[in-house]
Amino acid sequence: MRAGGLRELKKTQTRQLIADTAASLFRAQGYDEVTVDEIAAAAQVSKKTVFNHFPTKEDLVFYRADEREAMSLAAVRERPPGISILDSFRQLCSEQARLIPGIRRDLARPRGFYDLVNGNPSLQRKMYEVNAHLMSTLAEALASEAGAEADDPIPSIVASTLIGAQRTLYRRLRERVASGDDDETIEFAHQRDVRRVFDRLRDGLGDYPPQ
């Protein structure tokens, strides 16, 4: 592996270490009770290193936001030829079923992600910012794909609809996991929901952007 590749790998590993350390401390003590200094000490890195990877303390809770954004943009920009954006997002939502084991682990732990967010106004504001940024970025990608004019509202409406469907299906998936059903039952119900949602959207968005 080249030096540049090794540096990137080390940066990724350090970022993950900091995020995992912060999550463990937040679960054990609560978000407000943990300082960035404590996170840095537990991860055995400097406070500056923490902020190099996560500009704010809130970003430590939303460390997967970049991954979610990258996946959403890939569903637009990297979809196979002949596949509509709607069908690409259908597949993205269908693949949420692979998250079932992780959701089970999160629900079994004290102060999981949603517990932290729902119990803290600053994290609720951060979630709003993260979702707003995602929709704005996706709308830009859709506008570029469609060759839309700068003042065209359609890309923003489509982006909001797709992200809304994605979030709602994920929230319903978590509710099913919390209900205690087995994985097979949960996945069957989730895939049924995905079909129903995207079949309903097909007549309105199925040919956007026009080929």
Side-chain angles (χ1 to χ4, degrees):
M1 185 179 292
R2 295 181 178 179
L6 286 172
R7 283 195 297 271
E8 288 303 312
L9 177 61
K10 183 172 176 56
K11 283 175 61 177
T12 299
Q13 291 173 335
T14 300
R15 176 183 170 83
Q16 190 63 54
L17 170 63
I18 294 168
D20 290 344
T21 301
S24 179
L25 290 172
F26 292 153
R27 285 194 299 268
Q29 302 176 37
Y31 176 78
D32 288 326
E33 286 66 34
V34 177
T35 67
V36 175
D37 286 317
E38 290 172 329
I39 294 167
Q44 298 184 330
V45 299
S46 69
K47 185 176 180 179
K48 180 181 178 182
T49 298
V50 174
F51 283 124
N52 283 342
H53 288 276
F54 301 96
T56 70
K57 183 181 173 184
E58 289 88 352
D59 288 319
L60 287 159
V61 177
F62 292 90
Y63 71 95
R64 289 196 177 96
D66 289 346
E67 177 185 346
R68 181 187 173 203
E69 181 175 306
M71 291 174 62
S72 297
L73 289 176
V76 175
R77 295 171 176 166
E78 300 173 21
R79 69 191 194 278
I83 299 298
S84 70
I85 287 174
L86 187 68
D87 282 339
S88 189
F89 262 82
R90 179 195 291 261
Q91 181 62 29
L92 190 62
C93 290
S94 177
E95 291 171 358
Q96 288 175 334
R98 65 182 172 79
L99 303 175
I100 292 173
I103 294 173
R104 285 199 189 280
R105 289 193 297 272
D106 186 61
L107 291 172
R109 295 166 176 164
R111 300 188 181 97
F113 173 80
Y114 283 96
D115 292 333
L116 290 175
V117 172
N118 291 335
N120 189 287
S122 70
L123 293 178
Q124 291 170 23
R125 288 192 295 272
K126 182 65 178 182
M127 176 174 271
Y128 175 83
E129 292 172 7
V130 166
N131 287 327
H133 182 268
L134 173 60
M135 282 190 280
S136 175
T137 303
L138 182 61
E140 290 175 5
L142 291 168
S144 176
E145 182 86 7
E149 299 292 335
D151 60 351
D152 187 348
I154 298 299
S156 293
I157 293 170
V158 174
S160 178
T161 300
L162 293 174
I163 295 301
Q166 185 184 44
R167 290 178 61 196
T168 301
L169 286 164
Y170 178 73
R171 184 166 56 247
R172 187 70 186 99
L173 182 65
R174 284 184 63 91
E175 291 171 353
R176 288 198 169 99
V177 174
S179 73
D181 286 338
D182 61 84
D183 288 6
E184 184 177 355
T185 299
I186 293 169
E187 181 166 2
F188 179 84
H190 178 70
Q191 301 301 346
R192 181 187 62 204
D193 281 350
V194 171
R195 288 193 299 272
R196 291 176 62 233
V197 168
F198 282 88
D199 285 352
R200 178 68 66 176
L201 293 175
R202 183 175 51 206
D203 289 342
L205 303 181
D207 62 349
Y208 184 86
Q211 300 298 314

